[in-house]
Amino acid sequence: MKLEILLGFLALSYISTVQSLSMSKLRNVRIELFFKDEADLRSRIQFLSSKGISAFNIVNKNNRDTLQEWLEVIHAVHPSSDVCVHYSAKYNKSRKKDGAFDLFKDFMKNMDKVEGKHDVLLITGSGAKGQFNSLSGLQRIDSSYKTPVAVAFNPFFPNQDDLEIERKRLTDKLATNLVKKVYFQFGSDLVRLQDSLDWLATLRSEYQFDICGSIFLPTKKLISQQKFRPWNGVF
């Protein structure tokens, strides 16, 4: 089982952080990319790859995000990159019947056309779950696509009932036999984290998947924000 860490930078001042880490510590680190435009993306990939980082995540925060183009830019700048492209049901809705699912199928077809190593992280997004979400998408999609699929899991729900619902959704996702990696949400409860890692270890007797934990750049401003008004689903 491969264990990775997704390092999310919500500030753009990541250079000193990367420079302070040794190459051995960066080996299993993924960088969640934030950039202003294509030129900025190219610049960040050039810098990060020069420091030995070759695994990146592209977030999906808008239905106008040109995810495939960004993926192609990264592979053009650093062909050996391992890129995870996020696909959010929240930001890819449709008023047509089954339109959201059709959009996802088209997206997977386009991902299959792109050369280079990459996968897709299918997420529901915050708020109410619509007819198309990460679970329903996996249950309806066929296995003909060659692009691997990852899903998210939140082990930090303080309410046990909420945690059991989250675990049930994950086991249902794994039961599709399409999930190749599980991404953990941010969180600070180490007991919940260890319990969930132990639980996932038991699931690996039936399913094969990698795990990627998540941390963010621990600036004073961001830590203060999370204490005062954390993001939805962050504990």
Side-chain angles (χ1 to χ4, degrees):
M1 176 177 63
K2 184 178 181 181
L3 294 173
E4 297 177 297
I5 290 293
L6 175 63
L7 188 53
F9 291 102
L10 301 182
L12 300 181
S13 56
Y14 60 83
I15 294 178
S16 60
T17 303
V18 172
Q19 289 177 329
S20 67
L21 294 174
S22 66
M23 294 294 288
S24 62
K25 291 181 179 179
L26 292 173
R27 186 168 52 246
N28 289 327
V29 169
R30 311 186 61 87
I31 297 295
E32 190 171 73
L33 296 167
F34 291 86
F35 49 91
K36 295 176 292 185
D37 49 37
E38 184 176 309
D40 191 30
L41 173 59
R42 289 180 178 273
S43 175
R44 291 173 187 276
I45 298 303
Q46 289 169 349
F47 166 75
L48 291 167
S49 61
S50 73
K51 300 301 178 182
I53 296 176
S54 60
F56 309 102
N57 282 51
I58 304 174
V59 299
N60 179 200
K61 295 294 185 181
N62 195 297
N63 62 359
R64 296 183 298 275
D65 288 342
T66 55
L67 300 170
Q68 182 179 349
E69 292 180 13
W70 295 341
L71 172 61
E72 291 172 342
V73 167
I74 295 174
H75 282 320
V77 175
H78 192 57
S80 61
S81 295
D82 177 358
V83 186
C84 177
V85 183
H86 298 196
Y87 187 89
S88 172
K90 177 180 179 179
Y91 295 112
N92 292 278
K93 297 179 179 179
S94 174
R95 294 182 179 179
K96 298 179 181 179
K97 182 180 180 180
D98 250 6
F101 182 64
D102 290 338
L103 288 174
F104 178 56
K105 289 193 296 183
D106 290 342
F107 177 77
M108 291 298 293
K109 290 178 183 178
N110 289 332
M111 288 293 101
D112 280 0
K113 297 176 183 177
V114 180
E115 298 294 330
K117 186 176 182 181
H118 57 274
D119 58 9
V120 170
L121 172 58
L122 177 58
I123 56 177
T124 299
S126 60
K129 295 178 177 62
Q131 185 176 0
F132 172 73
N133 53 67
S134 57
L135 176 55
S136 67
L138 284 170
Q139 290 176 330
R140 294 186 59 192
I141 203 77
D142 60 55
S143 58
S144 62
Y145 301 104
K146 65 181 183 180
T147 301
V149 179
V151 297
F153 172 68
N154 190 342
F156 298 108
F157 283 105
N159 182 284
Q160 188 63 31
D161 290 340
D162 292 336
L163 181 59
E164 291 304 320
I165 292 173
E166 181 75 352
R167 288 188 173 190
K168 177 63 166 57
R169 283 180 60 81
L170 179 58
T171 54
D172 287 345
K173 293 173 186 178
L174 292 172
T176 66
N177 292 311
L178 296 175
V179 176
K180 305 304 180 184
K181 184 181 294 184
V182 175
Y183 278 83
F184 275 35
Q185 173 63 286
F186 298 125
S188 57
D189 188 330
L190 296 184
V191 174
R192 288 286 195 196
L193 176 60
Q194 186 62 62
D195 286 347
S196 291
L197 287 171
D198 293 341
W199 175 67
L200 285 178
T202 64
L203 291 180
R204 294 196 75 255
S205 62
E206 186 173 357
Y207 308 106
Q208 293 298 311
F209 56 89
D210 295 326
I211 297 174
C212 185
S214 301
I215 57 176
F216 59 71
L217 186 64
T219 63
K220 290 183 179 180
K221 179 180 179 180
L222 188 54
I223 292 174
S224 177
Q225 175 192 333
Q226 294 304 310
K227 289 180 177 179
F228 175 68
R229 185 177 295 168
W231 303 319
N232 186 36
V234 174
F235 305 100

